[in-house]
Amino acid sequence: MLESVGSLTGSPWIYVVVAASVLLDVFLPVLPSGVLVITAATAAAAGTATKAVAHDAPDILALTLCAATASVVGDLVAYRLAWRGGDRLDRAIARSRRLSSAQERLGAALSRGGGTLVVLARFAPAGRSVVSLGAGAAHRRVREFLPWSVLASVSWAVYSVALGYFGGQWLGATWLATGVSVAALFGAGAGAAYFMRRPALQE
C-alpha cells in the first residue's frame, strides 16, 4: 500500500483519492480516510531522501488542504441533506438513542456559542456523521455550525498528516511507521469519544 500510494504522491490523483475518501466517509464511516491520509503523508515523507525540501513541502501542504477542504465540504453536504430530510429523518433520529442524545447535546453546545463537541466529534469514530446530520436535522444555523466544522476539519487534517509525515521521517516509510501513526490516530479518537461522554459536554 505504501508503494502504491507513494507512486501517486507526485500526481494529482492522490488528492482526488484523498478528497473523495474524506468527503464520503461522513456517509460511510467505515471508509479508511484517516488511514489513507496517514499513508499518503508517510509516503511523501519518504521522498525527502531523494527530493529537495522545496519540492516536497508543497505536497504535504496540499495534502493537508485537500483533506481539510474535503472534510468541510462533506460536513456541509450532510448538514444540508439532514436539514431537508423532513419527517423521515426526524423519525430515524428519534429511533436512535445515540443520535437523539448527540442532537440534544450539539444543540445546547452551539446555542451557548461553544463548538467543542464538533471538534471532538471529528476525531471520534462516526462522530462526524452524528454531529453533521444532527446539526442539520435540528436546523441549527449554518453560522453556528460552519466555523466549528472548519476548525475541526483543519485540526484533524493537520494532526493526521503530521502523524504520517513525522512517523515516516523518524521510522522510515515502513508498515511500522504507518501502524504507529494509525494507532495514534485511533488513540485520539478513543480519547475524543471519552471526553464527548463527559457530563460537562452533555449539559
Side-chain angles (χ1 to χ4, degrees):
M1 184 175 182
L2 284 175
E3 291 79 6
S4 299
V5 175
S7 66
L8 291 174
T9 54
S11 164
W13 284 108
I14 186 62
Y15 307 117
V16 174
V17 172
V18 166
S21 177
V22 173
L23 192 154
L24 292 175
D25 79 357
V26 70
F27 303 104
L28 300 171
V30 296
L31 287 178
S33 60
V35 176
L36 178 60
V37 171
I38 286 175
T39 304
T42 302
T48 58
T50 57
K51 297 179 182 179
V53 174
H55 292 284
D56 187 69
D59 293 336
I60 296 300
L61 294 176
L63 180 63
T64 304
L65 180 61
C66 176
T69 302
S71 180
V72 173
V73 172
D75 287 355
L76 287 177
V77 171
Y79 167 86
R80 293 304 301 176
L81 289 176
W83 181 289
R84 299 176 180 177
D87 294 338
R88 180 178 297 180
L89 180 61
D90 291 339
R91 289 194 297 269
I93 291 176
R95 287 195 297 268
S96 170
R97 180 177 299 178
R98 182 181 181 186
L99 286 173
S100 298
S101 175
Q103 186 182 63
E104 292 172 3
R105 292 184 326 222
L106 176 66
L110 293 179
S111 64
R112 293 195 305 267
T116 304
L117 182 64
V118 179
V119 178
L120 287 175
R122 186 60 186 86
F123 290 83
R128 175 192 179 200
S129 304
V130 172
V131 165
S132 297
L133 293 171
H139 288 187
R140 307 309 308 182
R141 289 177 295 182
V142 69
R143 67 184 182 185
E144 294 178 340
F145 173 68
L146 181 58
W148 293 106
S149 171
V150 172
L151 177 61
S153 297
V154 171
S155 300
W156 173 83
V158 169
Y159 180 72
S160 300
V161 171
L163 283 178
Y165 183 76
F166 290 111
Q169 287 284 304
W170 295 332
L171 300 175
T174 64
W175 283 111
L176 175 61
T178 302
V180 170
S181 298
V182 169
L185 182 65
F186 287 164
Y194 169 77
F195 282 109
M196 285 176 67
R197 291 193 295 267
R198 294 185 64 179
L201 290 177
Q202 298 180 24
E203 296 175 356

